Amino acid sequence: SVDDIRSLVEQVRIPPQIGKYSVYIIDEVHMLSTGAFNAFLKTLEEPPSYVIFILATTELHKIPATVLSRCQRFDFHRVSMDAIGGRLETVCKGESIGAEREALELIARLSQGGMRDSLNMLEYCAGDGGVITVEKAERLLGAASRTLLSAIADAVASRDTAAALSVIEDIY
């Protein structure tokens, strides 16, 4: 709201007590009203030397041009599966975790481009200290195995209802 931005503008005038900079992160900045953007614009144009603003948004088109023209822009994207797989291999080597390459590929795929998610999944799968196999990763992470998916696809393609229901029962 406009009042929140005015409060922020007042707070920005106070130098940091610890450290060299004060960093303000405004998440979902596109949700600010026109009045709030206008109240913030002067401070954004000439911020104190010790202030860094980070404006985060997923809807860049909703940010006024007057604000965008005063910002340095960084676009963040999901991490590629290859990069995640490589990082997981590095972590496994560094932590002496035994893991099959296919299991790491499965974890990378399930993380959907999120590095932190992939590391959390790896940690979960490595919890018992054993080697991380595809079967173990599928079981622990709740992923249906390729064999089951292939079997249900074959059953559907051949219109074999009994076989499809049997696979569904196995998955359940």
Side-chain angles (χ1 to χ4, degrees):
S1 75
V2 176
D3 291 336
D4 292 333
I5 291 298
R6 287 190 180 130
S7 174
L8 174 69
V9 168
E10 291 299 318
Q11 187 177 358
V12 163
R13 294 182 183 160
I14 302 168
Q17 300 300 309
I18 300 173
K20 188 175 178 180
Y21 297 101
S22 291
V23 178
Y24 296 89
I25 301 171
I26 304 174
D27 193 17
E28 302 292 341
V29 72
H30 63 271
M31 299 293 287
L32 292 179
S33 67
T34 302
F37 275 121
N38 289 338
F40 185 48
L41 193 57
K42 182 67 176 166
T43 302
L44 190 60
E45 286 175 338
E46 300 172 15
S49 61
Y50 51 83
V51 172
I52 296 173
F53 290 108
I54 298 175
L55 310 178
T57 184
T58 54
E59 300 186 39
L60 192 63
H61 62 279
K62 291 185 177 180
I63 309 298
T66 53
V67 172
L68 285 177
S69 67
R70 289 157 176 82
C71 297
Q72 189 173 18
R73 181 175 159 181
F74 297 94
D75 292 321
F76 295 96
H77 305 281
R78 296 219 171 254
V79 181
S80 73
M81 280 185 29
D82 290 340
I84 290 175
R87 181 68 184 145
L88 292 177
E89 283 182 0
T90 301
V91 169
C92 285
K93 286 177 188 169
E95 298 294 324
S96 301
I97 299 170
E100 294 177 353
R101 174 79 179 138
E102 286 184 359
L104 297 181
E105 289 172 358
L106 173 67
I107 292 170
R109 191 170 53 255
L110 291 174
S111 71
Q112 299 178 347
M115 184 64 75
R116 186 176 13 174
D117 290 343
S118 69
L119 293 170
N120 287 339
M121 286 183 222
L122 177 67
E123 182 179 11
Y124 182 67
C125 290
D128 68 359
V131 173
I132 302 171
T133 63
V134 174
E135 293 78 19
K136 179 179 179 180
E138 287 173 342
R139 181 174 37 81
L140 291 174
L141 299 174
S145 74
R146 290 184 202 147
T147 306
L148 291 173
L149 291 175
S150 178
I152 198 162
D154 289 343
V156 169
S158 65
R159 298 180 184 264
D160 186 348
T161 307
L165 290 173
S166 175
V167 173
I168 291 170
E169 183 178 352
D170 291 343
I171 292 171
Y172 179 74

